[in-house]
Amino acid sequence: MIEFDNLKEYLKCGLGFTDLFEEEMFHYLLKRDGKLFYNPKIKMMCDINLTPVYYVEQVYTGSKSYL
């Protein structure tokens, strides 16, 4: 799991949004929980309880040390 606590780091890692739903969910969960988690194995963004929320179509290009 890769933790994100701001939009800048999320975008910097090569991830993005394919529609308004994903972007709004990201902002909502970030405001609600303070962080989100990306599971590169299943390509899903997860909330603080590690519940998958939405599928991420982009490829994670950030540091391999997280994996």
Side-chain angles (χ1 to χ4, degrees), residues 23-39:
E23 187 171 0
E24 290 300 316
M25 283 302 297
F26 181 90
H27 291 295
Y28 169 75
L29 293 170
L30 192 61
K31 185 175 182 178
R32 185 187 78 176
D33 301 335
K35 58 185 162 185
L36 288 127
F37 296 92
Y38 175 60
N39 184 336

Side-chain angles (χ1 to χ4, degrees), residues 2-17 26 30 36 38 45 60-63 66:
I2 301 155
E3 182 178 323
F4 292 102
D5 60 4
N6 63 63
L7 178 61
K8 183 179 178 182
E9 289 300 315
Y10 180 76
L11 297 174
K12 187 177 170 183
C13 291
L15 300 175
F17 308 107
F26 181 90
L30 192 61
L36 288 127
Y38 175 60
M45 285 303 293
Y60 178 74
T61 60
S63 172
Y66 286 111

